[in-house]
Amino acid sequence: MGLEADDVCWEIGPGLGAITHDILPRVKSLTAFEIDNGFIGILKEFFADDEHFSLQEGDALKHWPNCWKAQGTPDLICGNLPYNIGATAIASFIEKECLPPRMVYTLQKEVVQRMSAGPGSKLYSAFSVVCSLDYEVELLFDIAPGAFYPVPEVTSSVVGMKRRESSLLTSGERAGFLDMVHRLFSSRRKTILNNLSGFRGLPKNEISSLLTAAGFNPSVRAERLSLEMMIDLYRVLMK
């Protein structure tokens, strides 16, 4: 992970004992988010006396904003994310602009494939765009089901996310852009014109004229648009 002695790190469960043992001696501070009572007990038993360690008990999705407010943005967020909250957690960090330089997660392989999918792929989605907005996303390696207990029915993957050197959007553009992206993918079978109807209160015929004048084909679907094209499209609609 390329840890530094002055790094502030967050890790998200479940089952963080081994990760904590490896990371904690190498960083300035480590905050663990854990909801499982059994693992909470283990973390307290082994690490509670370490002044560089803190534990947030309960749902990470509920607790991380307060931790962020108190600590600021960490240098690294990592963990073995539960499959049912993995995409939600990552999207929430990015959409709320908690943007550490690095994030490393173990997730269901299909989720990682969605994160790294590009235009034209069946897996390309609003989530793909959200992940690539601020980060270079890379599937690092797969983990076979037998590496876990109990054994899951799916293959897992480790994904690395490295923050871009400069943002592609201004902070003031982010909320509106993300709203547009979610509209674009709200119905995969519909064209960008139909999905954008009503965006910013604009009538469909006006949106069609704006798209055509800017060189966009109103009849294409969102899955054909790259991130850069979507940013250009957003700025056209905001003029």
Side-chain angles (χ1 to χ4, degrees):
M1 294 185 192
L3 296 171
E4 302 291 342
D6 60 350
D7 279 352
V8 174
C9 301
W10 293 357
E11 60 178 13
I12 304 174
L16 295 170
I19 298 175
T20 305
H21 184 271
D22 179 61
I23 294 178
L24 188 54
R26 303 161 59 189
V27 299
K28 179 180 179 180
S29 69
L30 177 63
T31 300
F33 296 83
E34 181 57 74
I35 196 171
D36 184 276
N37 288 329
F39 288 126
I40 286 172
I42 293 172
L43 291 170
K44 286 182 175 179
E45 178 180 356
F46 286 98
F47 306 108
D49 293 335
D50 194 312
E51 63 180 352
H52 304 291
F53 176 78
S54 62
L55 177 63
Q56 296 287 327
E57 299 180 33
D59 187 345
L61 291 176
K62 295 180 180 179
H63 290 292
W64 80 258
N66 288 333
C67 189
W68 181 39
K69 184 177 180 180
Q71 297 183 2
T73 302
D75 299 290
L76 169 71
I77 304 178
C78 64
N80 177 20
L81 290 182
Y83 297 152
N84 60 327
I85 71 161
T88 302
I90 293 170
S92 71
F93 294 141
I94 296 172
E95 291 181 353
K96 294 180 180 179
E97 294 188 79
C98 178
L99 304 172
R102 292 160 291 153
M103 294 195 280
V104 182
Y105 301 110
T106 300
L107 292 154
Q108 184 175 341
K109 183 173 182 177
E110 182 180 350
V111 176
V112 177
Q113 290 174 325
R114 285 172 52 207
M115 293 172 68
S116 56
S121 167
K122 292 181 179 179
L123 294 175
Y124 188 54
S125 65
F127 184 47
S128 312
V129 177
V130 169
C131 289
S132 63
L133 180 57
D134 298 284
Y135 289 90
E136 297 172 359
V137 181
E138 181 182 6
L139 192 163
L140 299 177
F141 55 89
D142 295 334
I143 304 176
F148 299 92
Y149 181 83
V151 178
E153 296 181 355
V154 297
T155 297
S156 299
S157 297
V158 174
V159 61
M161 303 178 68
K162 181 181 178 182
R163 187 172 177 183
R164 297 180 182 274
E165 291 185 3
S166 58
S167 178
L168 301 178
L169 290 174
T170 67
S171 183
E173 291 178 314
R174 178 176 295 266
F177 175 78
L178 291 172
D179 176 39
M180 186 198 74
V181 168
H182 288 297
R183 286 172 178 264
L184 283 171
F185 286 96
S186 60
S187 177
R188 296 186 67 92
R189 294 186 178 183
K190 291 185 177 180
T191 65
I192 61 173
L193 176 59
N194 286 329
N195 279 335
L196 287 174
S197 180
F199 181 66
R200 293 189 60 225
L202 296 173
K204 188 173 181 179
N205 63 331
E206 186 172 342
I207 290 178
S208 179
S209 297
L210 288 171
L211 294 179
T212 302
F216 288 95
N217 181 351
S219 298
V220 301
R221 295 174 179 172
E223 63 194 45
R224 309 306 304 183
L225 301 180
S226 67
L227 170 61
E228 292 75 14
M229 292 173 70
M230 289 187 188
I231 291 174
D232 289 342
L233 173 59
Y234 175 72
R235 288 172 175 161
V236 166
L237 295 175
M238 294 302 292
K239 289 182 178 179

